[in-house]
mmCIF file with all atom_site columns, all heavy atoms in Angstrom:
data_model
loop_
_atom_site.group_PDB
_atom_site.id
_atom_site.type_symbol
_atom_site.label_atom_id
_atom_site.label_alt_id
_atom_site.label_comp_id
_atom_site.label_asym_id
_atom_site.label_entity_id
_atom_site.label_seq_id
_atom_site.pdbx_PDB_ins_code
_atom_site.Cartn_x
_atom_site.Cartn_y
_atom_site.Cartn_z
_atom_site.occupancy
_atom_site.B_iso_or_equiv
_atom_site.pdbx_formal_charge
_atom_site.auth_seq_id
_atom_site.auth_comp_id
_atom_site.auth_asym_id
_atom_site.auth_atom_id
_atom_site.pdbx_PDB_model_num
ATOM 1  N N   . ALA A 1 118 ? -30.301 31.011 -1.698 1.00 0.00 ? 118 ALA A N   1
ATOM 2  C CA  . ALA A 1 118 ? -30.914 32.257 -2.194 1.00 0.00 ? 118 ALA A CA  1
ATOM 3  C C   . ALA A 1 118 ? -31.878 32.856 -1.182 1.00 0.00 ? 118 ALA A C   1
ATOM 4  O O   . ALA A 1 118 ? -32.179 34.058 -1.284 1.00 0.00 ? 118 ALA A O   1
ATOM 5  C CB  . ALA A 1 118 ? -31.625 31.998 -3.522 1.00 0.00 ? 118 ALA A CB  1
ATOM 6  N N   . GLN A 1 119 ? -32.341 32.076 -0.224 1.00 0.00 ? 119 GLN A N   1
ATOM 7  C CA  . GLN A 1 119 ? -33.237 32.626 0.799  1.00 0.00 ? 119 GLN A CA  1
ATOM 8  C C   . GLN A 1 119 ? -32.542 33.650 1.682  1.00 0.00 ? 119 GLN A C   1
ATOM 9  O O   . GLN A 1 119 ? -33.212 34.373 2.446  1.00 0.00 ? 119 GLN A O   1
ATOM 10 C CB  . GLN A 1 119 ? -33.830 31.516 1.635  1.00 0.00 ? 119 GLN A CB  1
ATOM 11 C CG  . GLN A 1 119 ? -32.819 30.695 2.436  1.00 0.00 ? 119 GLN A CG  1
ATOM 12 C CD  . GLN A 1 119 ? -33.472 29.470 3.059  1.00 0.00 ? 119 GLN A CD  1
ATOM 13 O OE1 . GLN A 1 119 ? -34.386 29.592 3.894  1.00 0.00 ? 119 GLN A OE1 1
ATOM 14 N NE2 . GLN A 1 119 ? -33.000 28.284 2.697  1.00 0.00 ? 119 GLN A NE2 1
ATOM 15 N N   . TYR A 1 120 ? -31.217 33.750 1.591  1.00 0.00 ? 120 TYR A N   1
ATOM 16 C CA  . TYR A 1 120 ? -30.480 34.713 2.400  1.00 0.00 ? 120 TYR A CA  1
ATOM 17 C C   . TYR A 1 120 ? -30.171 36.013 1.662  1.00 0.00 ? 120 TYR A C   1
ATOM 18 O O   . TYR A 1 120 ? -29.478 36.882 2.176  1.00 0.00 ? 120 TYR A O   1
ATOM 19 C CB  . TYR A 1 120 ? -29.178 34.069 2.935  1.00 0.00 ? 120 TYR A CB  1
ATOM 20 C CG  . TYR A 1 120 ? -29.461 32.925 3.831  1.00 0.00 ? 120 TYR A CG  1
ATOM 21 C CD1 . TYR A 1 120 ? -29.239 31.593 3.419  1.00 0.00 ? 120 TYR A CD1 1
ATOM 22 C CD2 . TYR A 1 120 ? -30.023 33.105 5.076  1.00 0.00 ? 120 TYR A CD2 1
ATOM 23 C CE1 . TYR A 1 120 ? -29.530 30.521 4.229  1.00 0.00 ? 120 TYR A CE1 1
ATOM 24 C CE2 . TYR A 1 120 ? -30.333 32.045 5.919  1.00 0.00 ? 120 TYR A CE2 1
ATOM 25 C CZ  . TYR A 1 120 ? -30.077 30.762 5.485  1.00 0.00 ? 120 TYR A CZ  1
ATOM 26 O OH  . TYR A 1 120 ? -30.377 29.699 6.314  1.00 0.00 ? 120 TYR A OH  1
ATOM 27 N N   . LEU A 1 121 ? -30.689 36.158 0.445  1.00 0.00 ? 121 LEU A N   1
ATOM 28 C CA  . LEU A 1 121 ? -30.542 37.419 -0.263 1.00 0.00 ? 121 LEU A CA  1
ATOM 29 C C   . LEU A 1 121 ? -31.302 38.537 0.451  1.00 0.00 ? 121 LEU A C   1
ATOM 30 O O   . LEU A 1 121 ? -32.386 38.275 0.995  1.00 0.00 ? 121 LEU A O   1
ATOM 31 C CB  . LEU A 1 121 ? -31.088 37.307 -1.678 1.00 0.00 ? 121 LEU A CB  1
ATOM 32 C CG  . LEU A 1 121 ? -30.190 36.686 -2.747 1.00 0.00 ? 121 LEU A CG  1
ATOM 33 C CD1 . LEU A 1 121 ? -30.968 36.536 -4.043 1.00 0.00 ? 121 LEU A CD1 1
ATOM 34 C CD2 . LEU A 1 121 ? -28.955 37.543 -2.986 1.00 0.00 ? 121 LEU A CD2 1
ATOM 35 N N   . PRO A 1 122 ? -30.785 39.758 0.449  1.00 0.00 ? 122 PRO A N   1
ATOM 36 C CA  . PRO A 1 122 ? -31.585 40.883 0.902  1.00 0.00 ? 122 PRO A CA  1
ATOM 37 C C   . PRO A 1 122 ? -32.835 41.023 0.051  1.00 0.00 ? 122 PRO A C   1
ATOM 38 O O   . PRO A 1 122 ? -32.850 40.580 -1.113 1.00 0.00 ? 122 PRO A O   1
ATOM 39 C CB  . PRO A 1 122 ? -30.663 42.100 0.727  1.00 0.00 ? 122 PRO A CB  1
ATOM 40 C CG  . PRO A 1 122 ? -29.292 41.529 0.584  1.00 0.00 ? 122 PRO A CG  1
ATOM 41 C CD  . PRO A 1 122 ? -29.441 40.176 -0.020 1.00 0.00 ? 122 PRO A CD  1
ATOM 42 N N   . PRO A 1 123 ? -33.903 41.626 0.547  1.00 0.00 ? 123 PRO A N   1
ATOM 43 C CA  . PRO A 1 123 ? -35.137 41.770 -0.234 1.00 0.00 ? 123 PRO A CA  1
ATOM 44 C C   . PRO A 1 123 ? -34.924 42.466 -1.572 1.00 0.00 ? 123 PRO A C   1
ATOM 45 O O   . PRO A 1 123 ? -35.542 42.093 -2.562 1.00 0.00 ? 123 PRO A O   1
ATOM 46 C CB  . PRO A 1 123 ? -36.057 42.569 0.692  1.00 0.00 ? 123 PRO A CB  1
ATOM 47 C CG  . PRO A 1 123 ? -35.547 42.293 2.058  1.00 0.00 ? 123 PRO A CG  1
ATOM 48 C CD  . PRO A 1 123 ? -34.071 42.144 1.939  1.00 0.00 ? 123 PRO A CD  1
#
Side-chain angles (χ1 to χ4, degrees):
Q119 62 189 300
Y120 297 108
L121 278 174

